[in-house]
Amino acid sequence: MKKILISFLSLILFTGCDSDGHIQKRNYLRSLSVDGDNITMVFFNDDTLNFNSDISSAKYIAEKLTGNEIFTGHTELIILGDCDKKNILTFMIEKWKVSPDCIIIFGNENILSEKNTDDITGMIKIKEKNHEIPKADIISTLSRILN
Amino acid sequence: MNKLTKFRFASVILISDIFVLFCLKGNISAITAGGFLSGILIQAIISVPFALWIKKGKSIENCGNFVKIIFMIYFLLWATAIFSMFWDTSEVIYIPSQNSGIFGKISVLSAIGLVCAYMTSAGMKTLLRSSVIVAGMGAVCILIVMTSALLKSDFENIKIIRSEKFPNEFARGLILSGNLGSFAVLLGNAKGNAVTNSLIYFSAKIIITFIILMTAVLLSGGIMEITDFPVVMSAQLSQPFPSQRIDSLFLMIFSIFGVFSIALQTCLARYLFKSLKRGS
Amino acid sequence: MHNYNVPIIKNLSENIKKIKEISGGSSDVLINEFVTGSIKCALLCCEGMVSTALMCELVFEPIVNIPAKKDSHELFNHIEKYMLMSSDRPKADNYETLFRLLNSGFAVLIADNINYALAFGIQGYASRSIQESSGESNIMGSHEGFVEIIRTNMSLVRRRLKTPELVMEIFQKGEKSSTDLCLCYMKDRVPKKLISDIKNSLGKIKLESVLSTGYIKPFVERNKFELFNSAGTTERPDVFCSKLIEGRVGIFIDGVPFAITVPKLFCESFQTLDDYAFKPYYSTFIRWIKYMAFLTAILLPAVYSAIVTYHPELLNSTMLMLLVEAEKNAPLSITTETVFVLLMYEIIREAGLRFPKTVGGAVSIVSGLIIGDAAVKSGFVSTPLLTVSALAVMSGFVIPELNQQITLLRFAFLISGAVFGLFGISLLGCAVLTNICATENYGFPFTAPVSPFSGSGMGDTAVRSDIKKMQDRNFTVEEYHE
């Protein structure tokens, strides 16, 4: 019994020491633009990635291109151009688990090349506060689309 | 088993009831809340004659071996059902290793099994003591999650009703009332007036069910179409402050309540088994 | 095994021969033969155990001036009735008792043609004076701590509880050591069943020696595996007295400056006597600091590791980027770094305890330089991780009594968090909670007054009620018995 316990504990120790615990070996997605098949990703370290793909395999392709795992839970901005907005937003919530405060804009990828994420999100929040636009977070936006 | 206080009696079963609500699958709306609450009210009314029977000094343990065996099998089946709900819902909540192939799944299963087995082996007395502490902690955590969820809620979502119909939701509520078995066995071991204990339990259940369901409707009512687990979704959308999520707090309550609920059923089965052995 | 429970030999020469045989010719057993009252006698003592001055003044001087007696019985009768000589005057009718008294610092008088010995309590062995307790310091209360001499400890308690209800029963345990143990309780407060149960438990002790509380505690705790001790220890007489007043039982062990108290509750680990010297609001604040410190000490490294590895969405983006930047050069995973840092802290702490005091300063310098400076600058460990680990370790020092459990649980939670994230921490938390709730001693649940819940008990657990409100409570632990 003691041997089994010791082996089990050793196994756990080994598991704990593997490479999964390296947070610096991930890319953290900050903003995303989807315009047809054109995907643009901007990360927190200011790297930008452009490629063609459908949304379901976008993360996999991006991980292949960068060589690092991509974490999407802190996505702050999503720009949707010519695409199925309902399916993409559903996919973002269910699979990518983006932050509920993630801002959704309908536009094209040029917005990301003209302004940085901070400026865009700041502008949207000011407009929301002044009731110039309805709530732009992903939940409210998807709610409006579904209903 | 020592006599339970009213608080312990209610808290030990409510923990399991809340867990069942966490695992609620499918669309919900204000009609669902209405159906569930009506179901609980009917159960409360039906429980009164049972409580009066308990008040006369009777109990499930005194009903003969056949009844004990039926209840034992019932508890084991309901434990399996709760485990199945746990496993289904954990697909949506992120449990590390669960998606790491067969080894990952086995390790998660083993961990749950080990903890449940240990809790069962510690006995009913220990489980009842820990229920007070778990209920207290759980209440605080749920309050935090629900309050943050409410900050993001939309009261227009109450009006959204899809395909839910009152009789279907009423029946759905009854199907999820598997903890009535625990209620029946534990009521005989609770101190004080059985009718009062029963009414306190059902009142608390009504209030908690209302709070959880309505919070889920208010928060995720707008996106209910794409939501498989509305209560889980509403916890995942909780964000009390900008860029600060607390859905992982929900993961902790979910895990603790889940393990506790399974252990309660197995503990009760073990308790009845020991009672059978003593009788023979 | 030798049995010394044989009656004392009447003939003096044979008696002395027997004593020398039993003692194996030990050089510290002194035998002074003399004649008094026309009877041949011998005075035995252990060198270094008796006070030479007292022996001369209280024993030698009066005893050599006894007028002639008919026989030894008359001599001993005269000594017992007409000469006081010391306040503690037991008799020994067998060699086991004789040697126990001799080795306890008594002077033993034997005479020719009599089958028992008289002993005089004139102990004068060197002992440590009463000092402040090393492990349980306080600000506003007494600065006295228990010492190694059991009778001194008994006097410290007796001074504080001047009531005849305080009972102290001395008995011996340990076949070789014959260590004095003292059972203390307030006979009007203690549950009767508790006393009889504890006496039964102590009756099962068959040890050869009793040298620390660790020898006795397993006998007064349950046999099941319990993470936390259900029997407490204290080095302070004021704390000990407060436990006795609450109806608990205390056990002193000769040679050990710690007393055992039974039963113990979990919440007591967070209470100090200083709490009752400060204002209630401040004491309540400090209590909650301790509860949070306990949870921080156990959970912080595990939660940090789990969140950073598996649940980074729980951190806000600014903090996350800070951590990513800090971990850029770290070669190891977060969990491995944390295990390494915590192990280093344990090594340094243990070294600090065991090192001779003259080189103790070097430990601080080396540990500060190596851990605090070199490891961080080299990128081997990151600063946020070091901060988290240091915070956890410092939080553990707030409750030194629970140091063993905190250290091991910290590692256990870290491993479970590393494997299963917050889910693993929750599962292990359930298991630990179950173990704590299963802990009980003689029917007193360890988790009282939280579970079973007692509203009045929360007045000294969740908060520190005013002394005036507590004075009418007449609290004893019997309230929590299940």
Side-chain angles (χ1 to χ4, degrees):
Chain A
M1 181 63 186
K2 275 187 190 164
K3 285 178 193 159
I4 297 167
L5 270 170
I6 290 165
S7 323
F8 186 60
L9 277 168
S10 319
L11 202 66
I12 288 171
L13 270 168
F14 273 112
T15 320
C17 295
D18 73 7
S19 60
D20 270 357
H22 293 267
I23 59 163
Q24 66 277 31
K25 289 184 181 164
R26 287 185 202 148
N27 285 331
Y28 296 88
L29 182 67
R30 194 171 188 191
S31 39
L32 172 78
S33 165
V34 181
D35 193 5
D37 275 345
N38 295 327
I39 308 269
T40 306
M41 289 185 173
V42 178
F43 300 99
F44 272 92
N45 57 7
D46 293 330
D47 285 346
T48 305
L49 199 62
N50 285 313
F51 57 94
N52 286 345
S53 168
D54 60 285
I55 198 63
S56 52
S57 38
K59 194 174 166 197
Y60 169 67
I61 292 172
E63 283 173 350
K64 262 200 328 187
L65 289 170
T66 58
N68 285 330
E69 201 186 311
I70 289 178
F71 181 73
T72 52
H74 278 296
T75 310
E76 293 179 351
L77 175 68
I78 297 174
I79 301 171
L80 301 176
D82 178 27
C83 55
D84 184 349
K85 297 171 178 59
K86 177 185 155 189
N87 279 341
I88 288 184
L89 291 179
T90 307
F91 188 82
M92 293 290 123
I93 289 175
E94 283 183 350
K95 303 293 178 199
W96 283 24
K97 305 257 190 256
V98 299
S99 166
D101 256 8
C102 178
I103 289 174
I104 310 298
I105 297 178
F106 299 138
N108 61 37
E109 62 190 347
N110 293 331
I111 299 174
L112 269 182
S113 51
E114 286 161 18
K115 287 185 181 299
N116 68 36
T117 311
D118 277 325
D119 290 342
I120 300 169
T121 52
M123 191 172 64
I124 298 294
K125 282 177 186 163
I126 300 276
K127 287 189 173 184
E128 268 181 11
K129 208 171 161 187
N130 292 327
H131 305 291
E132 286 177 42
I133 54 172
K135 281 191 189 173
D137 62 273
I138 187 168
I139 303 301
S140 308
T141 309
L142 186 56
S143 204
R144 282 195 298 273
I145 292 173
L146 288 171
N147 300 303
Chain B
M1 204 193 306
N2 286 350
K3 286 283 180 183
L4 315 173
T5 58
K6 285 191 247 302
F7 187 55
R8 263 199 223 181
F9 168 72
S11 59
V12 76
I13 310 173
L14 281 171
I15 287 170
S16 201
D17 287 333
I18 293 171
F19 180 72
V20 168
L21 281 177
F22 284 166
C23 301
L24 194 59
K25 211 170 171 175
N27 294 349
I28 63 169
S29 65
I31 304 277
T32 312
F36 275 44
L37 296 177
S38 311
I40 296 170
L41 203 58
I42 304 287
Q43 288 165 31
I45 294 167
I46 294 171
S47 77
V48 171
F50 178 74
L52 287 168
W53 178 74
I54 294 281
K55 210 175 157 183
K56 287 181 194 165
K58 312 260 194 242
S59 68
I60 299 290
E61 290 103 291
N62 298 339
C63 283
N65 289 345
F66 178 69
V67 173
K68 285 187 206 174
I69 291 171
I70 296 289
F71 269 89
M72 254 177 61
I73 296 170
Y74 172 84
F75 287 136
L76 292 172
L77 287 174
W78 185 235
T80 317
I82 293 178
F83 180 78
S84 162
M85 285 187 235
F86 189 119
W87 195 254
D88 272 343
T89 316
S90 64
E91 302 277 335
V92 182
I93 293 170
Y94 175 55
I95 295 178
S97 310
Q98 196 179 14
N99 297 322
S100 311
I102 191 78
F103 177 73
K105 286 184 168 43
I106 289 172
S107 55
V108 171
L109 267 171
S110 311
I112 297 169
L114 269 170
V115 175
C116 287
Y118 176 63
M119 287 171 79
T120 309
S121 70
M124 199 66 214
K125 197 161 65 163
T126 305
L127 193 80
L128 292 169
R129 277 186 203 152
S130 53
S131 70
V132 174
I133 298 170
V134 167
M137 276 168 30
V140 171
C141 294
I142 289 171
L143 197 66
I144 295 170
V145 174
M146 293 299 156
T147 309
S148 355
L150 277 176
L151 292 172
K152 300 203 107 19
S153 57
D154 185 353
F155 286 88
E156 295 294 313
N157 290 338
I158 295 178
K159 298 177 193 165
I160 301 173
I161 292 161
R162 290 178 183 82
S163 55
E164 298 87 36
K165 289 189 172 34
F166 186 86
N168 295 351
E169 300 308 315
F170 181 85
R172 201 168 147 200
L174 289 177
I175 289 166
L176 296 173
S177 299
N179 291 309
L180 288 176
S182 315
F183 166 84
V185 172
L186 290 173
L187 188 63
N189 290 290
K191 280 185 206 171
N193 191 325
V195 178
T196 316
N197 292 339
S198 167
L199 292 175
I200 288 174
Y201 161 67
F202 282 109
S203 311
K205 190 174 175 184
I206 283 174
I207 294 168
I208 290 171
T209 306
F210 176 76
I211 290 172
I212 292 177
L213 287 180
M214 288 315 294
T215 308
V217 167
L218 288 173
L219 192 62
S220 38
I223 54 169
M224 198 60 70
E225 206 177 297
I226 61 152
T227 306
D228 287 331
F229 295 91
V231 178
V232 173
M233 177 60 81
S234 62
Q236 287 177 339
L237 299 180
S238 292
Q239 196 159 327
F241 310 110
S243 359
Q244 182 61 65
R245 294 162 73 165
I246 55 165
D247 49 337
S248 296
L249 179 65
F250 176 77
L251 168 62
M252 295 183 80
I253 315 165
F254 175 82
S255 316
I256 293 171
F257 277 31
V259 162
F260 197 89
S261 305
I262 299 167
L264 173 64
Q265 307 307 315
T266 49
C267 246
L268 282 168
R270 183 177 176 242
Y271 167 71
L272 285 178
F273 179 71
K274 277 188 165 180
S275 168
L276 263 173
K277 264 178 78 175
R278 266 199 307 269
S280 59
Chain C
M1 220 138 87
H2 297 284
N3 181 16
Y4 298 124
N5 198 4
V6 292
I8 286 175
I9 299 170
K10 280 187 176 179
N11 180 275
L12 185 66
S13 320
E14 293 294 315
N15 197 355
I16 290 172
K17 202 171 150 190
K18 182 73 176 172
I19 288 167
K20 283 182 180 168
E21 186 195 314
I22 292 173
S23 67
S26 276
S27 314
D28 60 338
V29 175
L30 304 175
I31 304 173
N32 298 294
E33 291 183 59
F34 63 100
V35 176
T36 186
S38 308
I39 310 287
K40 280 194 240 179
C41 300
L43 192 71
L44 318 167
C45 63
C46 245
E47 191 174 8
M49 296 284 277
V50 296
S51 163
T52 322
L54 280 176
M55 195 156 72
C56 291
E57 195 182 318
L58 296 180
V59 181
F60 278 151
E61 216 181 286
I63 215 167
V64 296
N65 290 327
I66 297 172
K69 298 291 169 197
K70 209 166 59 186
D71 58 19
S72 304
H73 287 276
E74 204 183 309
L75 173 68
F76 272 20
N77 206 32
H78 176 87
I79 293 169
E80 280 177 283
K81 276 194 179 154
Y82 299 109
M83 301 172 77
L84 210 49
M85 289 159 94
S86 84
S87 55
D88 194 2
R89 299 183 304 163
K91 286 185 204 175
D93 57 5
N94 58 65
Y95 287 102
E96 190 177 325
T97 312
L98 187 147
F99 270 91
R100 185 173 54 76
L101 291 169
L102 199 62
N103 293 330
S104 301
F106 283 76
V108 180
L109 178 70
I110 53 175
D112 199 21
N113 275 326
I114 192 162
N115 64 354
Y116 68 94
L118 293 180
F120 308 104
I122 49 166
Q123 288 87 348
Y125 36 69
S127 61
R128 188 168 62 94
S129 60
I130 296 171
Q131 294 164 349
E132 188 165 3
S133 78
S134 52
E136 293 171 60
S137 55
N138 74 329
I139 304 166
M140 304 279 279
S142 155
H143 290 263
E144 286 180 333
F146 287 135
V147 291
E148 283 73 3
I149 313 297
I150 195 172
R151 290 178 197 271
T152 310
N153 295 337
M154 287 162 67
S155 71
L156 287 171
V157 173
R158 189 61 77 181
R159 263 176 37 209
R160 284 168 170 82
L161 292 175
K162 300 182 180 71
T163 167
E165 309 293 352
L166 175 63
V167 175
M168 295 191 185
E169 297 176 12
I170 289 192
F171 55 98
Q172 285 76 38
K173 284 290 165 191
E175 282 166 21
K176 299 283 186 209
S177 64
S178 290
T179 308
D180 284 337
L181 267 62
C182 177
L183 201 66
C184 308
Y185 55 89
M186 301 275 287
K187 66 177 192 274
D188 60 332
R189 294 299 190 100
V190 74
K192 298 286 175 284
K193 194 167 181 308
L194 179 63
I195 278 289
S196 57
D197 285 344
I198 290 176
K199 283 182 178 173
N200 281 342
S201 302
L202 292 173
K204 291 177 188 159
I205 298 175
K206 301 263 180 284
L207 297 167
E208 284 192 333
S209 64
V210 176
L211 299 174
S212 83
T213 53
Y215 288 65
I216 300 292
K217 271 171 97 172
F219 290 92
V220 293
E221 289 177 343
R222 281 198 321 173
N223 284 332
K224 295 192 176 180
F225 170 69
E226 291 170 348
L227 279 168
F228 292 84
N229 295 320
S230 51
T233 49
T234 181
E235 215 182 340
R236 296 171 56 94
D238 43 4
V239 170
F240 187 78
C241 291
S242 68
K243 302 269 179 255
L244 292 184
I245 288 176
E246 287 176 353
R248 287 170 231 261
V249 174
I251 304 171
F252 286 123
I253 303 168
D254 193 32
V256 179
F258 287 89
I260 298 171
T261 55
V262 180
K264 186 189 167 187
L265 305 177
F266 183 63
C267 58
E268 286 171 36
S269 306
F270 303 90
Q271 295 168 345
T272 60
L273 220 54
D274 264 346
D275 292 349
Y276 304 95
F278 296 133
K279 287 276 192 192
Y281 58 80
Y282 182 70
S283 302
T284 305
F285 171 70
I286 290 296
R287 287 252 172 102
W288 280 95
I289 291 280
K290 286 182 192 165
Y291 296 138
M292 282 180 347
F294 174 70
L295 291 173
T296 304
I298 289 176
L299 293 175
L300 187 62
V303 169
Y304 174 79
S305 172
I307 287 174
V308 169
T309 309
Y310 298 114
H311 311 280
E313 70 275 6
L314 200 63
L315 301 167
N316 67 50
S317 48
T318 318
M319 197 186 294
L320 183 61
M321 293 307 119
L322 257 168
L323 294 177
V324 169
E325 194 58 40
E327 290 287 331
K328 234 179 193 148
N329 296 324
L332 304 168
S333 66
I334 293 270
T335 309
T336 318
E337 274 181 57
T338 315
V339 169
F340 169 75
V341 169
L342 290 175
L343 280 175
M344 284 312 301
Y345 274 124
E346 290 307 318
I347 291 169
I348 290 164
R349 186 190 57 79
E350 194 64 25
L353 269 177
R354 310 292 164 206
F355 244 70
K357 285 194 171 35
T358 43
V359 290
V363 172
S364 318
I365 294 165
V366 164
S367 60
L369 276 174
I370 290 176
I371 304 298
D373 202 37
V376 173
K377 278 191 178 152
S378 65
F380 197 65
V381 293
S382 63
T383 318
L385 182 78
L386 205 57
T387 310
V388 161
S389 304
L391 197 58
V393 169
M394 287 307 298
S395 300
F397 292 149
V398 172
I399 319 127
E401 197 181 320
L402 298 179
N403 185 52
Q404 298 170 46
Q405 291 84 10
I406 286 173
T407 305
L408 287 174
L409 284 175
R410 187 186 291 145
F411 280 103
F413 274 104
L414 181 62
I415 290 167
S416 67
V419 179
F420 293 119
L422 290 176
F423 175 70
I425 292 172
S426 312
L427 285 188
L428 186 59
C430 282
V432 170
L433 180 66
T434 302
N435 189 276
I436 294 176
C437 290
T439 304
E440 69 173 36
N441 216 354
Y442 301 108
F444 293 93
F446 192 57
T447 46
V450 175
S451 181
F453 185 78
S454 163
S456 52
M458 298 307 277
D460 200 17
T461 307
V463 294
R464 206 280 280 165
S465 299
D466 195 70
I467 293 282
K468 287 181 199 167
K469 281 185 193 155
M470 288 202 289
Q471 71 177 350
D472 296 325
R473 228 185 117 204
N474 266 335
F475 166 72
T476 66
V477 279
E478 200 165 11
E479 274 177 40
Y480 299 148
H481 190 262
E482 271 196 337

